[in-house]
Amino acid sequence: MSDVNVCIPEETGDRLAAIAAAEGLSLRAYLARLVETLLTPAERAEKALAALKEWNGYAPRAAEDQDLGSELDRRLARVSGQ
């Protein structure tokens, strides 16, 4: 196992340490556990699509998915004024 140094504000480090201690964990153990619960955006999208398919059978084809992504990007750009 290798160590990693991360620079964060002191208040944030103190808060993380307090949360870890309240759960009876070291900061290292708390962060390791926390990371195991997080998903990348691609993993979240995959889980969302799987849930939609299970819930109502929705399973877009790749081209449809790309078209929907483009439409979402267009709408977000319009709303954000870009």
Side-chain angles (χ1 to χ4, degrees):
M1 180 184 327
S2 63
D3 286 338
V4 175
N5 292 318
V6 178
C7 293
I8 58 174
E10 186 176 351
E11 301 81 28
T12 303
D14 292 345
R15 180 162 167 72
L16 282 169
I19 292 168
E23 295 194 24
L25 299 170
S26 68
L27 182 54
R28 178 190 299 259
Y30 177 77
L31 291 174
R33 189 182 73 181
L34 177 64
V35 166
E36 292 301 315
T37 68
L38 302 175
L39 300 173
T40 66
E43 290 168 332
R44 282 196 307 271
E46 185 179 318
K47 285 187 79 138
L49 283 174
L52 282 170
K53 185 175 182 180
E54 182 179 327
W55 177 56
N56 68 4
Y58 178 71
R61 296 178 317 279
E64 181 184 14
D65 190 42
Q66 185 175 359
D67 290 345
L68 291 170
S70 296
E71 176 64 13
L72 179 58
D73 290 344
R74 185 187 66 75
R75 290 181 185 203
L76 289 171
R78 186 178 68 205
V79 171
S80 65
Q82 295 179 349

